[in-house]
Amino acid sequence: MESGFSRIAALAGGHAEARAIQVALRIGVFEILSGGPHTAEEVAAHIGCQARATMLLANALCALGLLRKDRATYSLDEAARRYLTRASPEYLGDMILFDAGLWEVWGRLEDSLRSGAPARVPDMFQSSREETARFIRAMDSLVRARGDAVWTAQHLELGFARTIVDLGGGPGTYLLEFLRRWPNARGAIYDLPATLTIAREILTSRAPELMDRIELREVDYRKDRLPGPVDVLFLSNIIHSEDETTNGALMRQCFEGLAPGGLLVVKDHIMDDALVEPAAGAVFALYLLLTTHGRDYSFTEVAAWMRSAGFAEIKLQPLPDPPFSSSLIIARRP
Ligand SMILES: C[S@@+](CC[C@H](N)C(=O)[O-])C[C@H]1O[C@@H](n2cnc3c(N)ncnc32)[C@H](O)[C@@H]1O
């Protein structure tokens, strides 16, 4: 990695690029251009912005490789069409809009560093329907755009399972791929009530043919015993939102909730022992500081919780990077 001035200046000024993309997405620049090339004046008229200012934004988006400019006309670059327009199955926009909504929270990073406490109530975005929808649609958008669920379903061997539970499954993006690959299995999402409302909307519109194989069940894994026993418990991006004590208890809960021979699969940023690699996980840990009581954990830490809960055959399987930055930890209840 280039180690001098350019790298540090680009990293430290990254908020300008991030904000340009977030705002362009929010005000609809990419949607307008998905219909064909336009001048800055035409785009400005569509989105209700000032023409000269819109030209400056469009030029910046050209410089960032998201738009192309031919004389005074702007059009979408292929990557922008693929990831930034709603009609695309790989639309990443819901994740970008969620990040945009956390702008003020990042402004309080110094407070969190001084206090060690989150900068907002760590409620997993459950307190208003609008926030829950933005959060859950963001998870769905990220996983679909990057392809984690398809990769995971292709590489996990779940042919033995009759019951697969996506614990904290959110939008159910992973569960859908598991049920598509394993037609004899039934699935469930155990999650909080506000999340389940959004999950039902997403699943019924995306995969109505699978709804009779999916149970949506209100379970708060911090308080409730996990209904079971089931054959597979899948936890994606769950442990990173919880502290060490809660995760130790959660692994014991998972052990109790599995049938003998059942599989626990944890998917997350799994860090090296120094907690600095993968780099994406080390940076993401700051978002976790701001919004949860968690952080990203190492394989050594997670394996210790699993072993002390009674699990055996604990294995680490990293996903290939790029584009992925997370790993699976797979363990069996003897
Ligand atoms: C970061 S999202 C991950 C969603 C999905 N597993 C994924 O990887 O895309 C965390 C999920 O855990 C759920 N969750 C958080 N706390 C929970 C709790 N105490 N009990 C059950 N689900 C919880 C949230 O509602 C949300 O769906």
Side-chain angles (χ1 to χ4, degrees):
M1 188 190 278
E2 203 265 302
S3 64
F5 172 84
S6 304
R7 183 175 66 94
I8 292 176
L11 288 172
H15 61 283
E17 284 87 347
R19 205 56 181 164
I21 297 171
Q22 291 168 4
V23 170
L25 188 82
R26 190 153 64 197
I27 64 182
V29 171
F30 303 112
E31 284 309 310
I32 306 263
L33 292 175
S34 70
H38 287 292
T39 64
E41 289 75 19
E42 289 165 349
V43 173
H46 270 102
I47 59 182
C49 291
Q50 200 260 346
R52 178 172 171 276
T54 304
M55 176 194 70
L56 297 180
L57 176 65
N59 289 342
L61 295 173
C62 288
L64 297 178
L66 299 176
L67 303 185
R68 291 196 217 113
K69 189 172 184 180
D70 181 13
R71 291 177 208 181
T73 305
Y74 298 88
S75 60
L76 288 181
D77 176 78
E78 262 328 294
R81 183 176 299 283
R82 184 167 172 191
Y83 294 113
L84 300 176
T85 63
R86 280 203 171 273
S88 166
E90 292 162 297
Y91 178 61
L92 182 61
D94 287 327
M95 185 67 216
I96 295 171
L97 294 175
F98 174 68
D99 275 338
L102 291 172
W103 191 255
E104 305 293 329
V105 173
W106 279 101
R108 295 202 284 280
L109 179 59
E110 186 175 336
D111 296 342
S112 283
L113 287 170
R114 293 196 186 282
S115 67
R120 70 186 298 284
V121 179
D123 63 354
M124 294 310 289
F125 305 95
Q126 298 288 302
S127 47
S128 82
R129 184 192 154 83
E130 191 196 344
E131 279 207 340
T132 310
R134 189 159 50 182
F135 174 53
I136 294 305
R137 289 187 182 278
M139 302 302 106
D140 185 48
S141 161
L142 174 63
V143 169
R144 275 158 52 92
R146 199 168 51 192
D148 297 60
V150 171
W151 191 96
T152 306
Q154 279 168 356
H155 290 83
L156 269 181
E157 181 45 61
L158 304 181
F160 74 98
R162 303 181 68 176
T163 45
I164 301 173
V165 168
D166 196 350
L167 177 59
T173 325
Y174 289 91
L175 187 64
L176 282 189
E177 296 304 330
F178 295 154
L179 295 183
R180 285 183 176 133
R181 169 137 193 233
W182 306 110
N184 295 324
R186 298 186 60 77
I189 297 175
Y190 296 172
D191 211 307
L192 301 172
T195 292
L196 291 178
T197 303
I198 309 299
R200 187 177 301 282
E201 288 171 11
I202 293 173
L203 292 168
T204 47
S205 77
R206 184 172 302 152
E209 75 285 2
L210 292 179
M211 288 312 281
D212 62 344
R213 290 169 58 206
I214 299 177
E215 181 190 8
L216 298 180
R217 189 144 173 175
E218 281 186 33
V219 176
D220 180 339
Y221 60 66
R222 287 189 183 180
K223 298 188 194 139
D224 303 329
R225 231 181 121 86
L226 300 185
V230 300
D231 298 321
V232 176
L233 277 170
F234 179 72
L235 281 69
S236 167
N237 292 335
I238 299 303
I239 60 169
H240 69 213
S241 297
E242 305 292 352
D243 65 18
E244 292 82 342
T245 309
T246 307
N247 281 327
L250 183 55
M251 294 301 112
R252 292 193 288 279
Q253 280 260 64
C254 289
F255 188 88
E256 294 303 322
L258 278 170
L263 220 54
L264 171 65
V265 182
V266 167
K267 180 175 182 294
D268 224 303
H269 285 125
I270 302 299
M271 307 302 292
D272 64 358
D273 284 342
L275 303 178
V276 294
E277 293 285 343
V283 176
F284 184 69
L286 293 176
Y287 157 80
L288 297 172
L289 169 70
L290 290 167
T291 58
T292 73
H293 292 296
R295 63 172 168 87
D296 285 319
Y297 298 98
S298 68
F299 177 67
T300 307
E301 291 172 298
V302 181
W305 300 327
M306 289 179 170
R307 248 192 315 276
S308 105
F311 284 101
E313 301 172 41
I314 303 167
K315 282 184 284 226
L316 177 67
Q317 184 177 358
L319 274 65
D321 54 33
F324 304 115
S325 54
S326 63
S327 302
L328 304 175
I329 302 182
I330 304 168
R332 194 172 290 282
R333 174 176 172 158

